[in-house]
Amino acid sequence: MSAAVLTPDAVRAIDGRLERAGLLDPAMEIAGLAVARAVQERWPSGRVLLLAGGGANGGDALVAARHLLAAGREVTVLARPATHPLTRLNRRRLRAVGGEVRPLTPATLGRAARDAAVLVDGLLGTGFRPPLRDDLARVIGALNAARARDLNVLAIDLPSGLDAMRADVPGAAVHADVTVTFIGPKPAQLFGDAAAQCGEVRTVPLPVPAAWLQDVQVAARPDDATLGALLPVRTASAHKGTAGRVWIVGGHPGTVGAPALAGLGALRAGAGLVTVHSAADVPLVTPELMAQRHADLRTFLTSTGLTGTGARPDAVAIGMGLGPEAPALAREVLDWEIPTVLDADALQPDLCGYGHDRCVWTPHPGEAARVLGVPTPEVTRDPLAAARALQDRLGGVVVLKGGPSVVARAGDLSVSRGGHPGMASAGMGDTLCGILAALLAQGLDPWDAARAGVRLHARAGEIAAVRFGYGLGATDVAHDLGRAWADLRAAPLTGVYAGV
C-alpha cells in the first residue's frame, strides 16, 4: 500500500467531503481519541496541559482532553475563542463531563506549564500560512520556553507555526517531541528543518475511502511490501547473460572512485555483467567488476552507436566523475534510447530536452538548482515542486536525492522512506546510480526501478548503520544490498485504515 502525502488544499477537500457525508464529527472523535492514546502510551503519568485553537485543530485537542479526563488523567485546557462549529460543540461536551476551559494567553500558559508533565499543541493546523500573528508568536515562545524546562510536547497534525508545504521553519514554531498527524503525512513532516521540528511523527488513519485520497494526494509514499514486490526474481535457469548487462561510463584522472562505486552498486543489485568504461584507470573495488580504459571515450561511444543495438548493454549509468565532456558523451548515449541513468557531471542544463522515456536523472539539490537555474535553498524549501519542475525540463524519471528522496515522472510523485543520516557521505549517489542501472538492466521500467532502487539503497544504509554506527561509507552500504533485498521481498503488507 501507499500512504498519501497531503497538502492543506487536499486536507480541506477531504474535510469538505466528510462534512457533506455527515462524517466530520466522528472523524474528529477518532482523531482526538488517537491523540489521547498517544499521550497515554508515551507519557502515562502527570498532568496534561492542552492548548486549543479556534479551528478544527482545537476541536481535536478538546476531544483528547475529554478522553484523558475519562481515563483519570489530571487535565488543564487553555483555549482561544472557538470559530469552528465542532470546536464549539466539543467545548460543550468537555464541560458536560466536568472539564474546564480557561482563556489562553502567554501568562496563563506560563503558569499552567509549571507543574504539567505533557503539553498538547492544538493551536494551528495544516491551514496556517505565515506570518504568525504577534499574540500567537508570544504564546509559542512561552510554549518553547516551557519545553526547554523538560516539558514534553505533542503536536496535533502539525506543530503550530510551521507551513505544511515548506521544509524550512518560517519563524516562531512549536518544537514537538511527537506529532500525531491524520490520514497521511504533510510535506513539512517529511523534509528539512520542519521535519526536525515535528519530532517523531505518528500517522493515524481515518475512515476515508482510498479513492478520495487518490483524487487529492500530491504524492504517494509506497511501503516496503509494495516496493519489494517490484524487485526482479531470477529463475533457476538464469545466467549472467540474462541477469542484465550494465555499462558504467565515468571517471577521469582524479575522480576514478565514482564509477568504481557505481559498478559495485550495480553488481550488488543483481546485474550479471558490469563493465566500467573510462578515460582513466579505474580501480577494481571487487574482482567481478570489469574495466576498459579508452584513449578517446567519445569515439568509442559513437562507434557503439553506429554498430547497432547488438553491441550495446541493457542499461547505462553515465556521468560519475566524467568531467567536462559529460554533456557531449551523455548526448551520444541518450541517442541510443536504451535505459540510462544520468548523474553528477551529466546533470547539466544543456541536456534539457534530450531526455527520453527510458532515462532516470539523479540530481542532489545542488545539481537540481543548477539545472533549474535557481538557488539551492529554493530546491530544499519545496522538494516536491522542485522534482516536478526537474521532470518537466528533463523528461523521463527524476530522482531528487535527499532525506527523503523524491521520485517524479509525468503526473506522479513518490516520496521514499527510511535511510540513515550516516549516508550523508561521498559516493552514496554513485552507488545508487549503479543500483538503478542494474534494476533497469533486469527489466524494470524507469518508474519502478527508481522507486524500488531508492528504497533498496536506503534499507541497505539502515542495515549498515547497525554495524558501523553513524559514519557510513558507500562500500559499507553496497555490501548490505543483499540483506536489504531480502528484507524488502519479505516485508508484510500493511492496511490503510486500522478500523478494518
Side-chain angles (χ1 to χ4, degrees):
M1 304 295 291
S2 294
V5 181
L6 301 175
T7 66
D9 287 344
V11 172
R12 278 191 292 272
I14 292 168
D15 282 352
R17 296 184 78 165
L18 287 170
E19 186 171 21
R20 290 190 293 276
L23 294 172
L24 191 57
D25 187 13
M28 184 174 285
E29 189 70 19
I30 293 169
L33 177 58
V35 170
R37 285 175 173 167
V39 170
Q40 291 286 72
E41 290 168 8
R42 183 70 178 267
W43 302 289
S45 62
R47 189 165 59 85
V48 183
L49 170 60
L50 298 100
L51 309 184
N57 206 244
D60 296 337
L62 293 164
V63 173
R66 175 161 42 84
H67 285 288
L68 288 166
L69 195 65
R73 293 295 290 270
E74 187 180 357
V75 170
T76 298
V77 179
L78 302 178
R80 294 175 61 79
T83 57
H84 194 285
L86 288 181
T87 304
R88 292 193 290 269
L89 174 62
N90 279 294
R91 275 199 184 201
R92 296 194 294 272
R93 288 171 173 170
L94 179 60
R95 288 187 175 120
V97 297
E100 183 181 355
V101 180
R102 302 173 187 167
L104 171 62
T105 67
T108 58
L109 170 58
R111 288 192 296 270
R114 288 173 191 160
D115 61 348
V118 186
L119 184 147
V120 175
D121 165 29
L123 290 175
L124 300 172
T126 56
F128 167 73
R129 288 291 179 273
L132 198 63
R133 292 206 324 252
D134 289 344
D135 57 337
L136 282 172
R138 288 192 293 271
V139 168
I140 289 173
L143 189 162
N144 285 333
R147 181 180 184 272
R149 298 191 298 269
D150 295 330
L151 179 66
N152 301 298
V153 175
L154 181 147
I156 298 178
D157 216 10
L158 191 70
S160 294
L162 292 183
D163 183 329
M165 288 300 297
R166 289 171 56 170
D168 61 346
V169 180
V174 170
H175 195 155
D177 300 292
V178 174
T179 296
V180 176
T181 196
F182 308 110
I183 304 176
K186 317 312 182 284
Q189 295 162 348
L190 299 174
F191 303 104
D193 292 338
Q197 292 277 125
C198 296
E200 175 196 346
V201 178
R202 301 185 181 187
T203 302
V204 175
L206 296 179
V208 174
W212 291 13
L213 304 183
Q214 292 166 1
D215 288 344
V216 297
Q217 68 182 23
V218 68
R221 205 173 193 212
D223 64 12
D224 285 354
T226 299
L227 298 177
L230 299 176
L231 295 172
V233 178
R234 290 182 183 175
T235 64
S237 61
H239 57 81
K240 63 186 179 183
T242 62
R245 297 166 300 155
V246 171
W247 283 6
I248 308 295
V249 181
H252 70 284
T255 59
V256 293
L261 290 169
L264 180 61
L267 283 171
R268 294 292 182 180
L273 292 163
V274 181
T275 306
V276 177
H277 294 278
S278 180
D281 288 320
V282 173
L284 292 181
V285 292
T286 181
E288 298 91 344
L289 186 64
M290 297 177 286
Q292 293 185 23
R293 180 175 180 177
H294 301 274
D296 188 335
L297 196 51
R298 186 169 188 177
T299 297
F300 166 71
L301 294 175
T302 301
S303 64
T304 300
L306 293 172
T307 54
T309 57
R312 299 172 189 167
D314 298 305
V316 177
I318 185 168
M320 299 72 64
L322 194 52
E325 282 194 289
L329 298 177
R331 281 192 288 270
E332 291 284 349
V333 172
L334 287 169
D335 282 345
W336 303 349
E337 295 194 352
I338 68 171
T340 303
V341 184
L342 299 103
D343 186 50
D345 296 328
L347 296 167
Q348 303 293 342
D350 53 355
L351 286 175
C352 292
Y354 283 87
H356 53 72
D357 290 342
R358 305 179 78 188
C359 65
V360 179
W361 310 79
T362 60
H364 59 56
E367 292 161 343
R370 181 174 67 205
V371 171
L372 295 174
V374 301
T376 302
E378 188 171 326
V379 173
T380 56
R381 185 180 302 120
D382 190 346
L384 296 176
R388 192 182 297 110
L390 286 163
Q391 198 283 327
D392 286 343
R393 293 203 182 184
L394 295 170
V397 171
V398 169
V399 176
L400 177 56
K401 293 181 290 194
S405 297
V406 180
V407 182
R409 68 174 176 181
D412 269 317
L413 293 174
S414 178
V415 181
S416 69
R417 296 176 185 265
H420 188 271
M423 297 174 73
S425 63
M428 288 291 173
D430 303 315
T431 305
L432 175 61
C433 281
I435 294 168
L436 299 178
L439 295 178
L440 291 170
Q442 292 171 82
L444 270 68
D445 67 48
W447 175 244
D448 289 346
R451 292 184 299 149
V454 166
R455 178 59 186 131
L456 180 66
H457 185 234
R459 180 64 189 133
E462 294 164 5
I463 295 169
V466 175
R467 294 192 296 132
F468 295 106
Y470 188 76
L472 301 178
T475 53
D476 302 327
V477 174
H479 286 299
D480 276 318
L481 285 169
R483 289 184 59 194
W485 191 293
D487 280 359
L488 296 190
R489 290 289 303 174
L493 292 170
T494 58
V496 175
Y497 174 48
V500 176

